[in-house]
Amino acid sequence: MCRNITTLRGLEPSATAEEIEAAARQYVRKVSGVQSVSDATREPFEQAVAEVTATTTRLLAQLPERRQPPRTVPPLRRPEVRAGETAKLT
């Protein structure tokens, strides 16, 4: 499950709040089956994202350093993803 969520522990520089929230959002989408947030699902969905984000942030802060960096680069650090975000803003 959630094979597309990349490992955030051990990144250099450390995972950003934006990267942690993106992973939490992806996880909540997967487990809830909610792909498009509607008025009926917005509040519980966003609350779950906030809770998973907070828990993940605490977890990453408490775990010991990794000996090796993760093998995959998180999506928000990939140039093609960043280029797509920039295109959406213009």
Side-chain angles (χ1 to χ4, degrees):
M1 186 161 141
C2 296
R3 288 183 280 167
N4 293 332
I5 296 177
T6 56
T7 302
L8 298 178
R9 181 175 160 231
L11 292 175
E12 287 298 329
S14 297
T16 65
E18 182 183 22
E19 290 169 325
I20 294 170
E21 182 183 343
R25 190 166 296 281
Q26 188 174 12
Y27 172 79
V28 173
R29 277 190 183 119
K30 182 72 168 188
V31 299
S32 68
V34 174
Q35 296 304 310
S36 284
V37 179
S38 68
D39 289 341
T41 61
R42 181 168 282 103
E43 186 176 339
F45 183 88
E46 294 300 334
Q47 181 178 350
V49 169
E51 290 173 8
V52 172
T53 299
T55 300
T56 302
T57 301
R58 283 192 304 274
L59 172 66
L60 292 174
Q62 293 172 0
L63 289 173
E65 294 290 321
R66 282 181 67 125
R67 293 185 180 152
Q68 296 180 345
R71 288 184 260 169
T72 56
V73 176
L76 294 179
R77 294 188 184 193
R78 297 178 193 157
E80 66 275 13
V81 173
R82 283 293 185 192
E85 287 181 357
T86 303
K88 287 180 189 175
L89 297 174
T90 56

